[in-house]
Amino acid sequence: MNQRNHSIDILKFVCATLIVCLHTYSKWHDDFIPLTRCAVPCFLMISGFLLYSEKGIGRERLVRTIKHIFHIIVWSTLLFAIVTESRAIAKDGVFIPSGKDWLYCFALNENPFGYHLWYLQAYLYVLPLMLIVDKYKLWKLMLCATPLLLLGNTVLGAYGQLIFQQ
């Protein structure tokens, strides 16, 4: 029987609090941005840690997690769609996502109803990749590729505007 890891629970609570701080405004908001930006990557690492067991991750566990996250994405998108449509109707309009909105949703994790749902979709994209890596025992390759992928994201994503002036 697995015992609950209270240190992980405390870390999840701290990360959740930081994410709330990220999405709310206070006079110290800008001072805490670097700290709050660490919360989401920390949640991704916690998720990976919790998937792993002494026997490895295993196909069944990954498939179960993929189904679970998919259901969360569907229901949270539906909830935010209801809220978005309610706001649009209150303003005498209707919000209908364009084809470009849906392309951005599936390709870039930009949900047209809730931008902050990107995390769930990013997590969902990683899980099938983990199935492939696990099936073909490519863990060493993945560990070597991870720093390069992070560097690419930093150059093209986070700091791309500074580097490329666009």
Side-chain angles (χ1 to χ4, degrees):
M1 184 171 158
N2 294 337
Q3 288 192 343
R4 188 155 193 100
N5 188 332
H6 296 292
S7 297
I8 294 291
D9 290 339
I10 291 168
L11 185 57
K12 289 190 306 186
F13 175 78
V14 169
C15 288
T17 303
L18 289 172
I19 289 172
V20 169
C21 291
L22 178 66
H23 292 289
T24 56
Y25 184 78
S26 72
K27 67 181 188 176
W28 302 288
H29 183 266
D30 294 342
D31 298 326
F32 285 107
I33 287 287
L35 182 62
T36 59
R37 294 267 184 220
C38 295
V40 173
C42 189
F43 263 125
L44 283 170
M45 288 184 269
I46 291 169
S47 298
F49 175 80
L50 293 175
L51 272 176
Y52 188 79
S53 70
E54 291 175 7
K55 298 175 187 173
I57 294 176
R59 179 175 173 74
E60 298 80 23
R61 191 172 193 168
L62 282 169
V63 170
R64 186 177 63 237
T65 303
I66 289 169
K67 289 177 184 177
H68 180 72
I69 295 300
F70 180 77
H71 286 115
I72 291 172
I73 290 171
V74 168
W75 287 106
S76 59
T77 299
L78 181 62
L79 174 68
F80 281 98
I82 291 168
V83 170
T84 302
E85 289 303 331
S86 298
R87 287 180 179 164
I89 291 169
K91 294 179 181 178
D92 296 324
V94 176
F95 175 70
I96 300 173
S98 67
K100 183 178 177 182
D101 290 332
W102 288 114
L103 176 67
Y104 280 23
C105 179
F106 296 114
L108 303 174
N109 300 339
E110 293 181 12
N111 191 308
F113 301 108
Y115 69 92
H116 51 279
L117 297 176
W118 71 267
Y119 168 83
L120 292 170
Q121 287 176 250
Y123 187 44
L124 184 65
Y125 292 165
V126 168
L127 293 171
L129 179 63
M130 288 177 66
L131 271 174
I132 294 167
V133 167
D134 193 54
K135 179 177 180 177
Y136 296 105
K137 307 296 183 222
L138 300 171
W139 290 109
K140 286 183 182 178
L141 176 66
M142 199 63 190
L143 286 173
C144 292
T146 299
L148 297 173
L149 293 170
L150 289 171
L151 179 64
N153 177 58
T154 301
V155 171
L156 298 175
Y159 295 100
Q161 293 177 349
L162 293 173
I163 294 169
F164 301 113
Q165 303 296 317
Q166 57 182 337

